[in-house]
Amino acid sequence: MEKHYTDSKVKGVSTGTTILAAIFDGGVVIGSDSRASIGGEYVSSKTINKVIQVHDRIFCCMAGSLADAQAVIKSAKSHLSFHSVQMESPPLVIAAASVLKELCYKNKDELQAGFLTAGWDSKKGPQVYVVSLGGMLISQQVTIGGSGSTYIYGYVDAKYKPNMTREECLQFATNALALAMGRDNVSGGVAHLVVITEKGVELKLVCSLIELLLIFHEELNE
């Protein structure tokens, strides 16, 4: 990516989102809300998909400046496509996360974007990586991000369990997104979820999050 230096420093941008990724027994779930805001005040879109496919079984969620995130993902997809042709095999999940890390680190003075990368490969199975603002790379079993994540740390710590079934992990991810979107005024819309396993990729769209939130609170009160 070309660098364009200016005399002024990059100013802070107030954004809003909720993103999540969690490993279950045999696969991984990655998902996000669908609301895009400008300055944390004006909702510019209610239906944007923040879960982007960067290769066959590798997806990433973006948070921060949408323009910055889209530019990084576009460059990363090009790198991975060329890499898979050179290696004559699909790229590893860690390779995709490392490409995002390098792009974020080399352009850390100009970018305001972070990513969750999740996928499955034949070497290490299901994996989740966090590429934070500035280019730090961390491997985790479950992770959340964005402004809505501050409301659900307790829920995630209490409810996530290693080796969950596919159905349990999907319900966990849906509940977590619904709770965050119910509290965070700049997260909302619908929930985009992707299930990635050795067998392939399954896309899910959850629209009735308000109903799910009501059911969730009813179960808590029982």
Side-chain angles (χ1 to χ4, degrees):
M1 297 175 66
E2 293 185 3
K3 289 190 175 183
H4 300 281
Y5 295 99
T6 59
D7 294 332
S8 61
K9 293 182 178 180
V10 176
K11 295 181 179 180
V13 177
S14 177
T15 60
T17 191
T18 303
I19 54 178
L20 173 148
I23 293 175
F24 63 89
D25 186 18
V28 60
V29 173
I30 184 169
S32 77
D33 72 315
S34 65
R35 181 175 292 176
S37 62
I38 298 175
E41 298 175 354
Y42 171 70
V43 177
S44 57
S45 175
K46 297 179 181 180
T47 57
I48 189 168
N49 186 2
K50 303 172 189 176
V51 186
I52 309 299
Q53 187 174 25
V54 293
H55 210 268
D56 294 346
R57 286 185 173 85
I58 306 174
F59 285 74
C60 70
C61 279
M62 49 191 179
S65 168
L66 183 60
D68 290 352
Q70 287 177 332
V72 171
I73 289 174
K74 184 178 180 181
S75 182
K77 290 173 73 173
S78 177
H79 276 77
L80 291 172
S81 178
F82 184 62
H83 173 76
S84 65
V85 171
Q86 281 186 313
M87 301 300 292
E88 297 183 347
S89 64
L92 300 177
V93 182
I94 183 62
S98 297
V99 168
L100 289 170
K101 180 204 74 172
E102 286 298 314
L103 290 169
C104 288
Y105 180 74
K106 289 180 179 178
N107 299 278
K108 61 182 180 294
D109 294 330
E110 299 174 344
L111 297 177
Q112 292 196 347
F115 303 89
L116 304 184
T117 305
W120 187 97
D121 61 48
S122 58
K123 185 175 182 179
K124 298 181 71 174
Q127 299 150 72
V128 170
Y129 297 96
V130 181
V131 179
S132 62
L133 186 69
M136 182 173 66
L137 177 63
I138 304 172
S139 173
Q140 293 188 314
Q141 287 286 305
V142 60
T143 187
I144 52 179
S147 59
S149 67
T150 57
Y151 299 96
I152 56 173
Y153 275 104
Y155 176 80
V156 171
D157 288 343
K159 295 297 183 180
Y160 178 76
K161 301 291 186 296
N163 299 318
M164 299 171 85
T165 65
R166 175 186 176 280
E167 290 71 24
E168 287 173 339
C169 195
L170 262 176
Q171 192 60 58
F172 161 79
T174 303
N175 287 346
L177 289 173
L179 287 168
M181 291 159 66
R183 292 285 186 180
D184 184 27
N185 68 322
V186 284
S187 295
V190 299
H192 292 278
L193 293 166
V194 179
V195 183
I196 311 165
T197 64
E198 181 180 4
K199 294 180 179 179
V201 172
E202 182 181 355
L203 309 180
K204 285 188 170 291
L205 181 67
V206 183
C207 299
S208 55
L209 288 171
I210 299 299
E211 294 177 12
L212 288 172
L213 197 57
L214 291 173
I215 293 171
F216 176 79
H217 284 298
E218 287 175 2
E219 290 176 351
L220 284 180
N221 295 327
E222 289 180 354

